[in-house]
Amino acid sequence: MKVGIIGVGLMGHGIAKNVLVRGGYPLAFLDHPGNQPVDDLVDLGATACKTPGDVADVSDVIILCVTGSPQVEAILTGDAGVLPRLRRGTIIVDCSTALPESTLRMAAAVRAAGGSFLDAPMTRTARHAEEGTLNLLVGGDEADFQSVRAVLAAFTESLERVGPVTFGHRLKLLHNYVSIGFMALLSEAAAQAADAGVDPAVFVDVLAKGGGAGVALQRLAPAIVAGDVETVPFFIANALKDINYYRTMAGTSGACGTIADGVAGAMAAVVESGHGQAYIPELARLLRKQQPAA
C-alpha cells in the first residue's frame, strides 16, 4: 500500500516518519514551505511531490494533516488538487481539525471522484507524533477503516472508530473545547494568583491536591512555576481557531455556548494583542494585569 501525506508540520512530520519506519510503507509527501525539515524523511526513502495532484497520482492512501477546513478544501478541490487525479479506491484520511459541515461536503466530493473518506483527527502532542503514540478518533465506514488500520497503527497508540463520517471531527472539537477550556481557565487563575503575589509552586500544589488536579495542570505547571512553555507547543491562534470551530458546531445544533464564548473572547484578546504565535502555556503570563518580561 502506497501512502501519501500532505502537511508535514509539527504533527505531520512524526506521522510521516512512523509510516516509513514503523509501518514500512512507501511514502510520498507534498513539498511545501510550511513543512518541518524533511531531509530525514528523504533519507528514509520518502519522495517529494510538487502538487497535491502529484501526491494523488502515486498514493493508495492520502493522509491530510493541515490546519483546518479551508486548507482541506483547497487541497482536495483547488487548482492542482487531489480530486481530479484521485485513483479509484483511494482512501483520504483527514487527520486535521475541521468543521463537520465541511467534512460532509468533502466526503461526498471524494466519493463522487471514486474514493473513500475517513475523518481521523488526533489527540496528544507533537512529541507523541514523533514517538508514534498519537490517539486517533476515526469517523467513516468500518470497511474503509479496517483497510487502512495497519497504516494508521504505525503512528498511534489508541486507534478507535467512533462512528460514521464527521464523528471523528465532532469528538475532536468536543475534546479540544474541554482541553483548551481547562487550560484557559487554569491560566487565568494562575495569572490572578501571580498578580496577588501567591507563590506559583504553592498555587500548583494546592490545585494538585484538590479539585484542580488533572492533565491540564500537569501540562501547564512548568510554565506557571518556571516559565517553561514547551510542554504544549500549540499556538494560541490555532487554539482559538479550534474553539471557534466548536462554537460553530454548537451554534449549528442550537447548543448552549455561553462558556465557549467566554473562552473565545479571552483568547481573541490575546491574539489581537499580537501574541497569536505564542504557545498556549504562555496564557498564564499574557493574562496577567501587568505582564512580566518574556
Side-chain angles (χ1 to χ4, degrees):
M1 187 173 284
K2 297 178 181 178
V3 180
I5 184 167
I6 299 175
V8 189
L10 282 173
M11 303 297 286
H13 182 275
I15 290 173
K17 185 183 72 174
N18 282 294
V19 166
L20 285 162
V21 176
R22 291 178 59 184
Y25 294 98
L27 182 75
F29 65 92
L30 179 66
D31 191 9
H32 190 275
N35 287 348
Q36 293 290 296
V38 295
D39 290 349
D40 58 340
L41 303 181
V42 173
D43 289 344
L44 289 166
T47 301
C49 297
K50 292 183 178 179
T51 70
D54 292 339
V55 175
D57 283 342
V58 296
S59 302
D60 303 307
V61 180
I62 302 174
I63 298 169
L64 308 182
C65 189
V66 294
T67 303
S69 291
Q71 291 78 21
V72 171
E73 294 186 11
I75 287 164
L76 293 179
T77 67
D79 294 341
V82 165
L83 292 187
R85 293 158 67 178
L86 192 73
R87 303 195 300 185
R88 183 162 294 277
T90 298
I91 299 178
I92 304 294
V93 181
D94 182 11
C95 292
S96 311
T97 301
L99 287 163
E101 292 299 317
S102 172
T103 300
L104 279 177
R105 293 196 306 272
M106 292 302 99
V110 170
R111 287 194 297 270
S116 299
F117 186 98
L118 298 171
D119 52 304
M122 56 204 140
T123 63
R124 294 189 159 177
T125 67
R127 176 176 63 83
H128 296 102
E130 289 291 329
E131 294 171 352
T133 57
L134 291 171
N135 296 331
L136 224 58
L137 307 169
V138 184
D141 182 78
E142 175 69 21
D144 293 331
F145 172 56
Q146 293 299 335
S147 70
V148 298
R149 185 174 191 131
V151 174
L152 305 183
F155 58 90
T156 59
E157 180 176 81
S158 173
L159 179 58
E160 181 180 6
R161 179 178 174 267
V162 294
V165 167
T166 75
F167 273 49
H169 282 151
R170 290 179 188 280
L171 282 164
K172 174 61 182 293
L173 294 180
L174 287 160
H175 170 277
N176 278 22
Y177 169 49
V178 172
S179 177
I180 293 167
F182 279 170
M183 288 189 285
L185 183 150
L186 177 56
S187 295
E188 188 172 82
Q192 200 283 328
D195 287 338
V198 174
D199 185 324
V202 173
F203 169 75
V204 168
D205 185 60
V206 168
L207 293 184
K209 291 176 179 176
V215 173
L217 182 64
Q218 293 171 9
R219 290 180 174 175
L220 293 192
I224 294 169
V225 175
D228 177 7
V229 301
E230 299 295 326
T231 51
V232 187
F234 188 50
F235 294 138
I236 295 170
N238 285 346
L240 176 60
K241 181 267 296 182
D242 288 359
I243 293 295
N244 283 334
Y245 275 14
Y246 170 81
R247 293 169 69 214
T248 297
M249 180 178 73
T252 299
S253 69
C256 177
T258 304
I259 296 172
D261 291 345
V263 173
M267 298 184 74
V270 172
V271 172
E272 289 165 5
S273 69
H275 298 287
Q277 298 304 298
Y279 287 157
I280 199 165
E282 293 192 57
L283 283 173
R285 173 179 63 86
L286 295 170
L287 292 175
R288 292 187 62 175
K289 288 187 298 184
Q290 292 184 339
Q291 297 172 19

